Amino acid sequence: MSTLYFGDNLHVMRDHLKDESVDLIYLDPPFNSKRDYNLLFKSPKGEAADASITAFEDTWHWGFQAEQEFDELLKQANTEVSVVMQALEKLLGKNDLLAYLPMMANRLIELHRVLKPTGSLYLHCDSTASHYLKIVLDGVFGKTSFHNEIIWKRSSAHSDSGQGARHFGRITDTILFYNKSEGASTWHPLYRDYDEKYVERDYRRVDPDGRRYRLDNIQGPGGEKKGNPFYEVMGVKRHWRYSKERMQELIDAGRIIQTSPGAVPQYKRYLDEGKGMQIQNLWDDVAVINNRADEYLGYPTQKPLALLERIIQASSNEGDVVLDPFCGCGTAVHAAEKLKRKWIGIDITHLAISLKTNPAAQII
């Protein structure tokens, strides 16, 4: 059963989640942005009221709790994390940022414990602490478990120069992608529609029936040294990437053509046979939610459903368990439910729990 836990995710994971029981983890933790995020109370008709309540505080200070979390890290079994934290203490000193990083490190250790060997973790952050979080993740998961720094372009422009800012507009977030076991993770390549300019440029040739195509090189890379066969095709002798038999099959199917007599034959590749453009690590096609969007809930830092669907589709299968330990308004668990995954959500804020999306979910 999909479950929503109300409480500190560190204690919830230690008390309720078994070792290697989760297939995919997405977390969008506080960024140490030095801000409090508020929600407006709304009337039954949805009209905004003047009163507001703090949804969560994204501010950390070095103190007794930070000292406890830091000392706990130095004593646990993962010596790599201990080394990382001691090095960061020497670099940063005992300040607000160092208070934030042990909080995250203790939770990342638990997330590593509950993740299956085939599982993946996506940590959503911004430039405030992303570079330090990556070092902590390297200590927890191992350097070779890192796969991508995904850059999400969340808006097209952000101009705060009128408020005295002296920097380029910050319009991106970072998503750090790790696997638990190198080479054993669940992975499904994803594709998006080809860019119109790319289609016009590369698939400019059109058959009489309207099918667009481009021409591909069929010469064998590396020639004889790579074992490519040498023979004559349409009057042209070369090393080819196909066997003679396969080449004849393609010729008979009309897929090998010459643009002019004596020209090197090429392969005819149709646009409608392609899956699209494989998604890379720059995500500039998922827009941030504005207050007019259908999915907008008014919750601070809410992420688009399409963003979470992409992550879940890439790194899990139907029936898998998706965990979001900072679930907020529940976009990750909503996406998991929609894509037929089981899910676990944890949040310490009652406002987040009240926004749960599935009435059949168990709340603890």
Side-chain angles (χ1 to χ4, degrees):
M1 182 180 225
S2 293
T3 307
L4 195 61
Y5 289 94
F6 175 38
D8 186 327
N9 53 25
L10 183 63
H11 300 149
V12 169
M13 287 188 286
R14 288 175 175 173
D15 295 342
H16 296 281
L17 302 192
K18 297 178 181 179
D19 293 356
E20 299 184 351
S21 58
V22 172
D23 297 282
L24 173 63
I25 297 168
Y26 168 83
L27 63 157
D28 181 14
F31 294 169
N32 196 31
S33 63
K34 309 300 182 186
R35 294 176 59 190
D36 290 349
Y37 290 90
N38 299 322
L39 282 178
L40 289 176
F41 285 116
K42 295 184 181 295
S43 71
K45 294 181 180 180
E47 298 170 351
D50 292 333
S52 66
I53 185 170
T54 300
F56 62 89
E57 296 180 0
D58 190 6
T59 304
W60 307 89
H61 302 291
W62 186 265
F64 178 72
Q65 183 176 349
E67 286 273 11
Q68 278 191 318
E69 297 227 25
F70 186 84
D71 289 343
E72 185 177 344
L73 284 170
L74 302 185
K75 297 172 184 176
Q76 50 78 41
N78 188 327
T79 56
E80 290 291 327
V81 177
S82 175
V83 170
V84 165
M85 295 311 302
Q86 290 180 81
L88 287 172
E89 180 191 20
K90 291 181 181 179
L91 174 66
L92 301 171
K94 292 183 177 180
N95 55 22
D96 295 352
L97 180 57
L98 194 69
Y100 173 73
L101 294 173
M103 181 280 294
M104 286 300 303
N106 273 315
R107 284 152 181 80
L108 289 169
I109 289 169
E110 288 302 311
L111 291 170
H112 183 270
R113 175 185 65 80
V114 304
L115 193 62
K116 292 180 182 178
T118 55
S120 300
L121 176 141
Y122 291 78
L123 192 158
H124 194 136
C125 52
D126 70 0
S127 58
T128 306
S130 59
H131 41 305
Y132 297 115
L133 287 170
K134 185 182 183 303
I135 293 172
V136 174
L137 279 163
D138 284 348
V140 175
F141 281 79
K143 298 179 289 294
T144 58
S145 292
F146 171 71
H147 281 273
N148 282 114
E149 178 187 40
I150 299 164
I151 302 300
W152 174 44
K153 184 182 177 183
R154 50 182 165 78
S155 62
S156 57
H158 182 72
S159 177
D160 52 5
S161 58
Q163 286 74 46
R166 300 177 63 85
H167 56 72
F168 297 105
R170 295 166 181 152
I171 62 170
T172 64
D173 280 356
T174 296
I175 302 172
L176 301 173
F177 170 29
Y178 281 75
N179 292 138
K180 186 165 184 178
S181 301
E182 188 178 2
S185 61
T186 300
W187 176 246
H188 305 291
L190 301 178
Y191 300 85
R192 55 189 285 192
D193 291 341
Y194 291 117
D195 181 79
E196 289 185 12
K197 292 182 180 178
Y198 166 75
V199 171
E200 291 296 328
R201 186 194 68 213
D202 285 40
Y203 286 88
R204 62 185 184 275
R205 295 177 170 84
V206 184
D207 273 349
D209 61 2
R211 294 183 74 190
R212 284 182 171 270
Y213 67 92
R214 66 183 175 90
L215 298 178
D216 271 358
N217 180 23
I218 55 173
Q219 296 182 69
E224 185 179 4
K225 292 181 180 179
K226 295 294 184 180
N228 294 297
F230 182 86
Y231 55 91
E232 183 177 322
V233 178
M234 299 179 178
V236 179
K237 294 181 179 180
R238 292 285 193 282
H239 285 95
W240 306 103
R241 66 175 66 231
Y242 303 120
S243 68
K244 203 168 185 179
E245 293 75 20
R246 176 58 180 157
M247 184 72 79
Q248 189 58 52
E249 290 175 1
L250 292 171
I251 292 171
D252 293 342
R255 301 303 291 265
I256 305 298
I257 65 171
Q258 281 181 307
T259 55
S260 60
V264 177
Q266 298 180 78
Y267 179 74
K268 196 174 187 180
R269 188 177 300 280
Y270 285 102
L271 174 64
D272 57 21
E273 293 178 339
K275 295 180 180 179
M277 186 177 296
Q278 188 168 343
I279 292 173
Q280 309 296 305
N281 72 327
L282 174 60
W283 294 1
D284 59 357
D285 60 328
V286 180
V288 71
I289 299 172
N290 60 48
N291 57 11
R292 295 180 299 276
D294 292 340
E295 62 186 276
Y296 181 68
L297 297 172
Y299 194 83
T301 72
Q302 181 181 351
K303 300 303 184 292
L305 186 61
L307 186 75
L308 274 301
E309 288 178 344
R310 177 172 294 181
I311 290 170
I312 291 169
Q313 287 172 332
S315 293
S316 69
N317 300 308
E318 286 190 11
D320 282 354
V321 178
V322 177
L323 166 63
D324 183 349
F326 296 89
C327 71
C329 64
T331 306
V333 300
H334 180 184
E337 181 76 18
K338 182 179 176 182
L339 296 171
K340 300 180 181 179
R341 274 70 167 171
K342 300 172 186 175
W343 52 263
I344 300 168
I346 311 171
D347 207 281
I348 200 168
T349 305
H350 70 89
L351 290 167
I353 301 300
S354 69
L355 288 169
K356 73 184 184 71
T357 58
N358 183 3
Q362 177 180 226
I363 301 179
I364 297 176

